[in-house]
Amino acid sequence: DELKSSGAHVHVKKIDVTSKEEVERLFSDVSSTFGVITGIIHSAGILRNIPIEKMDKKDFLDIIQPKVIGALNLHNASLKYANTIEYF
C-alpha cells in the first residue's frame, strides 16, 4: 500500500523463480507491457518448521533454492531486460 500511495505501479506475479525461462518470460512480458522495470522485491521462500541441524539435504535444498537460484535468475534477467533497476 505504501508503494502504491507513492505512485508506484505494483504487480504481484507468482512464478517459479528457480526456472530461468519463467523469470525471463516474466521480464519480457512486464517490459513489453510497462516499458520500464525499476524495482524487484524478491520474497520467494518455502517454510519448513525443522531446525537446520535436523534437515536432510532435500529439505535444505528445497528451502534455499528459491532464495539463491531465484535471486541469481532475477539478477541475470534484470541485466538483460531492465537496466533501470533502482532497488532489488
Side-chain angles (χ1 to χ4, degrees), residues 17 23-24 27 40 42 67-83 85 88:
V17 291
V23 172
E24 288 200 359
F27 270 77
I40 299 167
H42 175 40
K67 281 295 184 196
V68 175
I69 295 173
L72 181 62
N73 286 340
L74 288 166
H75 171 72
N76 288 334
S78 74
L79 294 175
K80 183 175 180 179
Y81 290 95
N83 61 357
I85 299 296
F88 191 124

Side-chain angles (χ1 to χ4, degrees), residues 39-76:
I40 299 167
I41 299 174
H42 175 40
S43 59
I46 294 175
L47 179 62
R48 292 266 165 59
N49 288 329
I50 305 168
I52 195 165
E53 65 271 6
K54 293 188 179 190
M55 287 182 189
D56 60 21
K57 183 178 179 179
K58 182 186 181 321
D59 288 326
F60 180 76
L61 291 176
D62 286 348
I63 291 168
I64 201 73
Q65 285 180 336
K67 281 295 184 196
V68 175
I69 295 173
L72 181 62
N73 286 340
L74 288 166
H75 171 72
N76 288 334

Side-chain angles (χ1 to χ4, degrees), residues 10 22 25 27 29:
V10 178
E22 284 190 46
R25 186 170 35 255
F27 270 77
D29 292 349

Side-chain angles (χ1 to χ4, degrees), residues 4-48:
K4 288 181 182 179
S5 69
S6 72
H9 297 280
V10 178
H11 299 274
V12 178
K13 300 289 183 180
K14 183 179 176 181
I15 66 164
D16 178 1
V17 291
T18 64
S19 167
K20 178 182 174 184
E21 294 77 18
E22 284 190 46
V23 172
E24 288 200 359
R25 186 170 35 255
L26 172 68
F27 270 77
S28 178
D29 292 349
V30 171
S31 295
S32 296
T33 302
F34 300 103
V36 173
I37 300 170
T38 56
I40 299 167
I41 299 174
H42 175 40
S43 59
I46 294 175
L47 179 62
R48 292 266 165 59

